[in-house]
Amino acid sequence: MHNRALLIAFHFPPQAASSGIQRSLSFSRHLPASDWEPMVLTANASVYEAQNPSQLASIPPKLLVRRAFALDAKRHMGWRGRYLNASALPDRWISWCMGAVPAGLSLIRAQRPRLIWSTFPIATAHLIGLALHRLTGLPWVADFRDPMLQPAYPTNKAQRRLYAWIEQQTIRRCSKAVFTTQGAMASYRERFPELPPAKFVVIENGYDEDAFGSAPPAARAPAAGRALTLVHSGLLYDTGRDPSAFLDALARLKARGVISAATLRVVLRAPGNSAGVTALIERYGVADIAATAEPVPYREALAEMGAADGLLLFQGTPFNNQIPAKVYEYFRARKPIFGLVDHKGETARVLANAGFDDTAFIDDAAEIAARLERFLERLREDSAHVASLELVERSSRAHRARQLAALFDEVVNGVATQKTSKAA
């Protein structure tokens, strides 16, 4: 296999605080099936504040992983949580650049990759990608899991200026800029209208098929008289994923006799602030119907999704340019989805394109109540929409890796063509 790619990713096992590790890890696992041999340049494990050593078993045995020196300015260079702002520009892990650039050059000399790929967040990852691209001339694919410069982030002026510079350099010098949502890509096309639209590409996130290996088969349509079960698995927030209006809607349906403890059970699994969410449940008087539940291992959470009658999705206006990873897991579970969203957001668009029309504005209790009543009727009739098998296949991380491999092929073939033209 002569096609090698250097992947630069801060979030990589055993780091445990970001779901971003799944994107980098899945690409490193699935690219070889498309004739691309990846190698990973990441940070030394001691820089991660939260670690899950069990995730190390997910790294392919033959994958070359180089862990470069890095420090966390807050933990390793600060005092009682306070640290110099200058030591954390563009982010707290800028020291990683000092170790990663020499390590990357060593890898490039020894392994001769045909291109470089880096992923944001963290900003330093793109800075390393920029440096290695300039030093070696290798083509560079820049991955944006989130938009880099946002209206309300970064707030620190010095950090914002440096983010803007890194973003400008990255977008202009990379061969391809990859985004996880159509909305994010569109915003970059608008901000850089002088660049060819073909430079901007979407490769969405996805689900990992291996994680579903032990999940039970989907439950059949509910028998008459059995309570329906709705499940939400994941964090809820005061802003953007506030369940208040949903709980208000449950209270309204309960008051009308549409639902009761005998007909509906709502599980809010691992919401983060369990005490706060439980207090909301009690405030709206629906503790007999809804309840929080403690976190469980990932595979158990997936199994719970597969056994539920319907799945809940919270994604409000502050996250309009983002799509939660659980959307793709929900598709794979092949269960009906009730979306509490902003109808103008990316998540609403993805659900609509997939055929899911059981959605309501996340902050409108009246709309939620009306749409939820219809959704529950569809569940009882076994007529609620589920993801098609074609959509499930397209949503897998293996498919996303094939998309990335095709993009790599396009980039290196384009570079080869340019060199041939110049030589002629």
Side-chain angles (χ1 to χ4, degrees), residues 296-370:
V296 295
Y298 183 53
R299 289 179 183 269
E300 289 185 29
L302 294 179
E304 183 178 45
M305 293 178 196
D309 296 296
L311 301 173
L312 300 171
L313 187 66
F314 292 84
Q315 190 80 340
T317 305
F319 306 117
N320 270 1
N321 284 331
Q322 300 170 358
I323 302 171
K326 67 170 57 65
V327 167
Y328 308 103
E329 296 169 349
Y330 281 10
F331 289 168
R332 171 57 180 81
R334 300 203 72 213
K335 290 293 180 177
I337 300 171
F338 186 76
L340 297 119
V341 295
D342 181 335
H343 296 301
K344 298 179 180 179
E346 279 293 299
T347 300
R349 181 192 61 79
V350 167
L351 289 176
N353 288 346
F356 292 92
D357 61 357
D358 290 303
T359 60
F361 186 67
I362 188 171
D363 297 323
D364 188 334
E367 181 182 345
I368 294 171

Side-chain angles (χ1 to χ4, degrees), residues 73-105:
K74 179 180 179 180
R75 293 170 50 235
H76 300 133
M77 302 167 65
W79 175 252
R80 295 182 177 179
R82 299 173 66 87
Y83 53 95
L84 292 175
N85 182 54
S87 69
L89 294 175
D91 50 55
R92 287 161 40 193
W93 303 276
I94 180 59
S95 58
W96 180 34
C97 198
M98 298 166 52
V101 171
L105 288 173

